[in-house]
Amino acid sequence: VPNGQLAEEKPELADKYGRKSIAEQNSIDTAWEVLLSPRFTKLRHCLFESKQEKHRFRQLLVNCVMATDIFDQDLRALRKSRWNKAFSDDGSLSSGEEEGHYKATIVIEHIMQASDVAHTMQGWEIYRQWNESLFREMHEAYTEGRSAKDPSDGWYEGELWFFDNWVIPLAQNLKECGVLDIVSDQLVKQARSNRAKWELEGEEISRGLLVSKPQLKRWGSHMSGQGSVASSGSAGTEAILTSHYVSEIESLSRMVKRYERKMEAAVGNLIAVAYKGQKSGKDLRKQSWSDVHSHFKKQDWYRVFSDDEDEDLASNDGSEDMDVSLGGQGRTVQFSTEISVSDRDSVITSLSIAERIVNEGKTGDK
């Protein structure tokens, strides 16, 4: 729940921390108390040996945790001014050592902030998973009366704003300071990619998320009456499960389509290599990739290169003599092979090289 809600639920805690960054300050105090307990004496000796080092460590801890409060406008303005001071050339820092410490502190804070929203800079599926989890958590807080804002209002637009005003500028800052090398460039690219994909698909995704509990119960009752969902459990639970499985099926469907396209391309490349200029090759191209795959698995020459463990490729001495016919009707290339099982990896690599040459040839033709 947000700090504003914590202030209402625990006024004594709000007063203790001046009604500023309540969750963050409470977390610091709790962690510090645990760290100073007797069972962590050896750990403390590793972290700091003097009062000065202890004070410095405490400063870093406070700065890092407080940096995760991204909704306090005053703190955001302060961090922005500190970043500008650290990475400007106006000579405002008195010494090189002071500049080094100052920059290190600011960079650590930014890394902490990036970790806090890391899902926005990772792969699309990871982003989707954490985005949905965050919505569910906030929606549950709203329905329980622990939050005044319904996350259903403007979830799609809010994510776009968050990318534009926080995530992407944060990733760009990390890129500009150069501390993460090429990783920071990837963070920027992935954040922009997720932002672009959310702009295209986010409204539809949001509609799937923005189903309130009363709506779920009514829908579940309707589905139960139609006999489309298992009769056990409450109607609301049935509807939630149905919604979950529909989302899962759609996600898997998109994944299957991506791999189908890759499979179709790979099958087409193999047809081009094995049946070049033959009528049988043209006929195969008219079939589905699954039918062509079944056809391939029946061919002796295909089984030479296949890594399917179900195939009995080897004789007792670890090698086999095979008369391989590549091409079928109208054009037959005969060659004799003696392939050791231990050499199959290099054979498969050769086939991959051949497929890549075909791909490059197709690109050149275009």
Side-chain angles (χ1 to χ4, degrees):
V1 295
N3 279 315
Q5 181 63 29
L6 281 179
E8 292 184 14
E9 294 180 0
K10 299 182 178 181
E12 71 287 352
L13 204 61
D15 292 338
K16 177 181 178 180
Y17 298 120
R19 309 185 79 82
K20 300 281 287 186
S21 305
I22 302 169
E24 290 77 15
Q25 293 196 69
N26 185 60
S27 296
I28 293 169
D29 282 350
T30 302
W32 192 252
E33 183 180 351
V34 172
L35 180 61
L36 295 184
S37 64
R39 60 188 176 129
F40 290 115
T41 301
K42 292 182 179 180
L43 176 60
R44 291 197 302 276
H45 287 164
C46 293
L47 294 173
F48 40 79
E49 295 181 344
S50 65
K51 288 185 177 181
Q52 184 180 3
E53 289 181 351
K54 180 181 178 181
H55 178 69
R56 176 60 176 160
F57 179 83
R58 167 82 182 185
Q59 283 183 318
L60 286 173
L61 174 65
V62 171
N63 286 348
C64 286
V65 178
M66 291 295 287
T68 61
D69 184 359
I70 64 176
F71 296 107
D72 187 298
Q73 297 300 321
D74 294 335
L75 287 177
R76 288 185 63 179
L78 176 62
R79 284 193 292 266
K80 185 176 181 180
S81 66
R82 291 171 63 205
W83 177 272
N84 293 335
K85 180 180 178 180
F87 292 95
S88 65
D89 299 323
D90 59 5
S92 57
L93 297 175
S94 59
S95 67
E97 183 178 0
E98 180 188 2
E99 180 180 355
H101 286 312
Y102 199 86
K103 284 185 175 180
T105 301
I106 302 300
V107 169
I108 290 173
E109 289 178 5
H110 273 63
I111 292 175
M112 191 72 175
Q113 291 166 356
S115 301
D116 197 35
V117 294
H119 67 287
T120 61
M121 307 177 197
Q122 298 184 55
W124 173 248
E125 292 302 324
I126 294 177
Y127 166 69
R128 280 282 313 276
Q129 176 185 347
W130 285 94
N131 175 269
E132 180 175 346
S133 296
L134 176 61
F135 175 84
R136 300 294 183 199
E137 183 177 322
M138 294 178 68
H139 190 269
E140 182 177 350
Y142 171 71
T143 56
E144 291 177 353
R146 301 188 68 211
S147 175
K149 180 175 173 55
D150 183 353
S152 303
D153 297 334
W155 187 258
Y156 167 71
E157 295 82 1
E159 284 295 291
L160 292 177
W161 183 94
F162 192 56
F163 272 114
D164 293 338
N165 293 277
W166 182 253
V167 175
I168 294 175
L170 175 62
Q172 287 175 327
N173 280 350
L174 287 172
K175 179 181 179 181
E176 289 170 9
C177 73
V179 70
L180 297 180
D181 198 23
I182 60 173
V183 174
S184 56
D185 185 56
Q186 182 60 35
L187 295 179
V188 175
K189 290 180 180 178
Q190 191 60 58
R192 286 176 172 164
S193 174
N194 287 339
R195 196 268 185 212
K197 201 158 186 179
W198 179 261
E199 185 174 19
L200 292 174
E201 303 180 21
E203 284 189 287
E204 181 181 351
I205 293 171
S206 297
R207 282 193 292 270
L209 296 175
L210 309 183
V211 181
S212 66
K213 287 188 176 181
Q215 288 173 319
L216 283 172
K217 289 179 180 179
R218 288 197 298 272
W219 181 47
S221 178
H222 169 73
M223 294 292 286
S224 179
Q226 294 295 322
S228 300
V229 185
S231 58
S232 61
S234 68
T237 301
E238 292 170 353
I240 292 172
L241 288 173
T242 302
S243 175
H244 169 76
Y245 291 132
V246 167
S247 298
E248 184 177 24
I249 289 170
E250 288 303 306
S251 176
L252 291 172
S253 175
R254 287 190 291 270
M255 188 181 299
V256 168
K257 287 178 181 177
R258 286 198 297 271
Y259 280 99
E260 278 185 338
R261 288 193 291 269
K262 291 182 179 180
M263 186 68 168
E264 287 170 356
V267 167
N269 291 338
L270 186 53
I271 291 174
V273 171
Y275 296 89
K276 184 176 181 180
Q278 299 179 49
K279 182 179 182 301
S280 54
K282 294 180 180 180
D283 293 338
L284 283 173
R285 285 185 178 276
K286 297 177 183 179
Q287 301 179 33
S288 68
W289 67 260
S290 57
D291 290 338
V292 177
H293 184 221
S294 298
H295 167 81
F296 282 158
K297 294 187 76 171
K298 297 176 183 178
Q299 311 305 309
D300 290 341
W301 61 266
Y302 184 87
R303 290 198 291 271
V304 171
F305 299 106
S306 173
D307 59 355
D308 189 345
E309 296 299 331
D310 292 336
E311 300 290 344
D312 185 12
L313 293 175
S315 59
N316 292 334
D317 61 358
S319 64
E320 56 182 331
D321 292 317
M322 184 180 293
D323 190 32
V324 182
S325 174
L326 183 65
Q329 300 176 356
R331 176 176 175 272
T332 302
V333 178
Q334 300 284 344
F335 57 95
S336 179
T337 63
E338 182 171 290
I339 300 176
S340 171
V341 172
S342 63
D343 293 329
R344 287 173 64 242
D345 288 344
S346 62
V347 173
I348 293 170
T349 301
S350 300
L351 180 59
S352 299
I353 294 172
E355 289 182 284
R356 188 167 67 249
I357 292 172
V358 172
N359 283 332
E360 293 171 352
K362 286 188 173 183
T363 304
D365 293 340
K366 291 180 181 178

